[in-house]
Structures are given as structure tokens and as C-alpha cells.
């Protein structure tokens, strides 16, 4: 039987996990993944009240029904899972962003997904890189470099749903993402501790020898005068420089090096007579 695909356009959501353009080569325990099993993965959190989600759920059900129409036992599990908020029993590739777990550090309840509160989290995976697009100044989607979308930004996803064809406890649907379209910006989500967590007190008041709070002057700036010999106030620099403006040297004879100008000549501009 031919695979039935349901093309979809996901309502605007926030990219909160994974990286659509980085291939996963190791698992969560940092063990190498065989090349033939390596995939791209990312997750998008869509608010549960977002317009258009009912259409998405209908398309997902159609994809499942097209494959398992003759397997009422699987369809019953799928229906129970869907009505139970995507609970176990059928793989919808959707998780509840309000789900709680027990903290491995404190033993207290905590959200399973840090950025998923109030959302359904759609999880996408595949062996092919998805396209990246942005909206130009005319309001038209155009292709863009993947660097234009970062984790934490708001996107729409276009792709297709299809059943995975399995008939055991792993029966469910597959989600084939095709393109991410950047809709808006959000605070970027980075991995690891924040800067505030890494540096509790950036400035401790201690200053090692040689440290300054301003960068040193770049090389090539004017040299200071020779020690003990500051230039006379208002005089031009020493030899090699042209005479001061309005003071041609004595005709045929430049002034002797280091000597004052010949008698009767006007003083150099800026010098007292």
C-alpha cells in the first residue's frame, strides 16, 4: 500500500531544542551513533491555544488512519493517546510541555521541558537537512542561510505527516520537516550554564600588578620627548620638519642646525619674540 502523506504548516512556535542543521553523531550518553542511523533533530514549542492546532491534529489522525484503518487495535491506542494528551500507546512525536518529572538533584517535581510551559512540543527528526527561510521586506518568504535562525527564535515548520508502518508498541507517525521559516525573534537559548552562573562576582576588587582598566595605547602613536629634554612650548618638532608656516628660510642658507633664526627675521609662528 502506498504511503499516505498529509502536508502541514505548523502554527508559529518557538525553536527550543536541538539544531535543524547539525547532524547528531553521538547519543545522550556521548556514544557514537552509526553513520546509517545519524539524524537531524529539533523541537518546536507551540502554545496550546495557538490558532490552527486543531487542523494539525486532524491531519495527524488522517495519516494514522490511512495506515492503520484495518487495525482497530492500533487505532484505539492512537485515539486513547491523543485524548490523553499524547500519552503512551502511540507515537505522535508530540510531548506535553507542562509535563513534570522528579529532579535528579533535589528529588522535587520540576518541569521536564524548561521552555515548554503551556505548549505542545512537536519533535522533528530526519536524515535530510531542512531548508531555512526568512520573510523579506515585502513580506515574502525567501531562502536564507541557516545562521538566520537560532534556538529561541520563533518559526513555522512546513512538512508532511505519515504513519511509520510499525504494528508493535512503536506504532505511530513520522514527521518529515521540509522548511523552517523565521517569523520572529526571541531570547536565544544556549546550552550550559549562563554567564551569571559561571561568574558570581565578575569584579572582586583585586588588581594584579600591571593590570589597567583601559587598553594600552596602540603602537605607532607619537613618541614621548627624550628624557630630560622636553621641547620648548609652541615650537615645532626638531630637525627634518619643514619651517613654520610663513617663515621661509634665509635665502640660499638654511638656518644652522640648532641655531636660532637669523637676526631680523620674524619669529617662528607660535613662539614669543
Amino acid at each position: 500500500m502506498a504511503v499516505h502523506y498529509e502536508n502541514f504548516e505548523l502554527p508559529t512556535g518557538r525553536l527550543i531544542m536541538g539544531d535543524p542543521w547539525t547532524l547528531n553523531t553521538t547519543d545522550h550518553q556521548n556514544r557514537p551513533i552509526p553513520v546509517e542511523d545519524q539524524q537531524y533533530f529539533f523541537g518546536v514549542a507551540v502554545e496550546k491555544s495557538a490558532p490552527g492546532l486543531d487542523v494539525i491534529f486532524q491531519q495527524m489522525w488522517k495519516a494514522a488512519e490511512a495506515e492503520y484503518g484495518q487495525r482497530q487495535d492500533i487505532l484505539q491506542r492512537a485515539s486513547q493517546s491523543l485524548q490523553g494528551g499524547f500519552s503512551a500507546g502511540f507515537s505522535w512525536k508530540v510531548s506535553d510541555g507542562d509535563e513534570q518529572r522528579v529532579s535528579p538533584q533535589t528529588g522535587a517535581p520540576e518541569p521536564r521541558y524548561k521552555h515548554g510551559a503551556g505548549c505542545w512540543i512537536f519533535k522533528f527528526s530526519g536524515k535530510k537537512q531542512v531548508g531555512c527561510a526568512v520573510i523579506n521586506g515585502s513580506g515574502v518568504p525567501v531562502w536564507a542561510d541557516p545562521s538566520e535562525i537560532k534556538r529561541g527564535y520563533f518559526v513555522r515548520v512546513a512538512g508532511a505527516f505519515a504513519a511509520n508502518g510499525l504494528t508493535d508498541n512503536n506504532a505511530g507517525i513520522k514527521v518529515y520537516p521540509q522548511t523552517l521559516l523565521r517569523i520572529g525573534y526571541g531570547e536565544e537559548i544556549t546550552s550550559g550554564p549562563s554567564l551569571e552562573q559561571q561568574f558570581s562576582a565578575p569584579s572582586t576588587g583585586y588588581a594584579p600588578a600591571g593590570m589597567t582598566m583601559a587598553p594600552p595605547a596602540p603602537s605607532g602613536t607619537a613618541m614621548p620627548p627624550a628624557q630630560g629634554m622636553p621641547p620648548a612650548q609652541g615650537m615645532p618638532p626638531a630637525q627634518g620638519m619643514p619651517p613654520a608656516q610663513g617663515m621661509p628660510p634665509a635665502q640660499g642658507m638654511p638656518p644652522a642646525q640648532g641655531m636660532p633664526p637669523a637676526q631680523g627675521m620674524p619669529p617662528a609662528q607660535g613662539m614669543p619674540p
Side-chain angles (χ1 to χ4, degrees):
M1 184 175 65
V3 177
H4 176 80
Y5 293 95
E6 284 285 331
N7 296 323
F8 69 85
E9 295 178 20
L10 196 69
T12 299
R14 190 181 185 200
L15 179 62
I16 66 167
M17 61 176 64
D19 186 331
W21 298 284
T22 298
L23 191 65
N24 290 317
T25 58
T26 57
D27 63 15
H28 66 285
Q29 294 182 337
N30 206 32
R31 297 174 301 191
I33 299 175
V35 175
E36 62 274 15
D37 295 329
Q38 294 176 4
Q39 294 189 343
Y40 299 93
F41 169 80
F42 62 96
V44 175
V46 179
E47 291 183 347
K48 293 178 179 178
S49 59
L53 270 182
D54 54 339
V55 175
I56 294 295
F57 297 151
Q58 290 170 14
Q59 290 178 303
M60 295 167 69
W61 178 259
K62 287 180 181 179
E65 193 174 38
E67 175 69 26
Y68 301 114
Q70 304 303 315
R71 292 293 306 267
Q72 290 302 310
D73 56 327
I74 297 178
L75 280 184
Q76 184 177 6
R77 295 203 323 255
S79 177
Q80 292 171 346
S81 172
L82 190 60
Q83 294 175 18
F86 301 101
S87 58
F90 193 82
S91 178
W92 288 108
K93 299 296 188 291
V94 180
S95 296
D96 188 347
D98 293 314
E99 183 181 345
Q100 297 283 303
R101 70 174 182 181
V102 176
S103 169
Q105 285 78 32
T106 65
E110 67 177 9
R112 180 175 293 277
Y113 304 103
K114 184 176 180 180
H115 304 282
C119 298
W120 296 117
I121 302 174
F122 291 78
K123 299 177 179 178
F124 303 88
S125 61
K127 295 181 178 297
K128 295 182 179 180
Q129 245 185 21
V130 297
C132 174
V134 299
I135 300 175
N136 67 12
S138 301
V140 178
V142 294
W143 296 113
D145 187 86
S147 62
E148 294 291 338
I149 297 179
K150 302 181 185 299
R151 192 161 55 236
Y153 287 8
F154 289 83
V155 299
R156 295 193 67 189
V157 184
F161 298 121
N164 63 20
L166 301 175
T167 56
D168 56 13
N169 290 333
N170 295 313
I173 66 168
K174 291 181 67 68
V175 185
Y176 298 93
Q178 183 174 355
T179 304
L180 266 71
L181 173 65
R182 188 187 70 199
I183 300 298
Y185 299 90
E187 182 179 356
E188 186 175 352
I189 299 173
T190 57
S191 302
S194 66
L195 287 176
E196 289 79 6
Q197 292 170 326
Q198 296 178 62
F199 298 99
S200 58
S203 177
T204 62
Y206 167 66
M211 187 183 89
T212 62
M213 299 308 294
S219 59
T221 54
M223 293 288 291
Q227 188 172 4
M229 293 183 63
Q233 188 175 6
M235 289 187 66
Q239 71 177 56
M241 295 295 293
Q245 188 175 7
M247 287 183 58
Q251 192 170 1
M253 279 191 64
Q257 186 175 358
M259 296 289 291
Q263 260 190 340
M265 292 186 66
Q269 188 176 7
M271 288 184 60

